[in-house]
Amino acid sequence: QVQLVESGGGLVQPGGTLRLSCTVSGKSTRGNTMAWYRQRPGSQREAVATTTRGGTTVYADSVKGRFTISRDDAKNTVYLQMSSLKPEDTAVYYCYARIGSINPNIHWGQGTQVTVSS
């Protein structure tokens, strides 16, 4: 059974930094697409940052230059380094894993709250 466990959320002031972690158990992250999504209050879940099985990273325009996604496949962990945080970054952040190449399965973490407020 594949499980994704996020950590690192919390309350931070505008302009601050946070690093989210997502550790996967049950399958290896190696060779699989991993991503971070977020859901802001009253909005649909949206992709924030993706690291593909080919090594490409893709960011939402709203976070380009401020967020960095990285992965350590030896630790089965994906990170989201967030800097210059804004109140509009307040959301529940979810880890996403697309495991497998021929018939991939999608897995989600339980989410971690990030609140940016003074």
Side-chain angles (χ1 to χ4, degrees):
Q1 183 178 357
V2 179
Q3 288 190 317
L4 281 61
V5 179
E6 301 107 332
S7 61
L11 173 64
V12 63
Q13 291 187 340
T17 63
L18 275 178
R19 188 176 81 155
L20 306 183
S21 300
C22 170
T23 299
V24 180
S25 61
K27 284 288 186 181
S28 173
T29 57
R30 195 179 306 276
N32 292 301
T33 293
M34 303 293 299
W36 288 95
Y37 281 69
R38 69 184 180 189
Q39 188 162 16
R40 293 182 276 194
S43 299
Q44 291 187 329
R45 195 173 297 189
E46 60 180 352
V48 174
T50 302
T51 171
T52 71
R53 60 197 307 266
T56 303
T57 55
V58 180
Y59 296 95
D61 287 343
S62 59
V63 307
K64 280 181 182 176
R66 300 188 298 122
F67 290 12
T68 302
I69 189 170
S70 61
R71 60 196 296 164
D72 185 343
D73 291 330
K75 295 182 178 180
N76 263 12
T77 300
V78 179
Y79 305 97
L80 184 68
Q81 181 70 43
M82 305 184 291
S83 60
S84 302
L85 282 161
K86 305 175 182 180
E88 52 263 44
D89 294 318
T90 295
V92 179
Y93 284 72
Y94 296 91
C95 184
Y96 162 104
R98 187 173 185 268
I99 304 291
S101 57
I102 298 177
N103 293 306
N105 292 311
I106 305 301
H107 304 275
W108 293 94
Q110 81 285 355
T112 185
Q113 176 70 47
V114 171
T115 302
V116 184
S117 175
S118 55

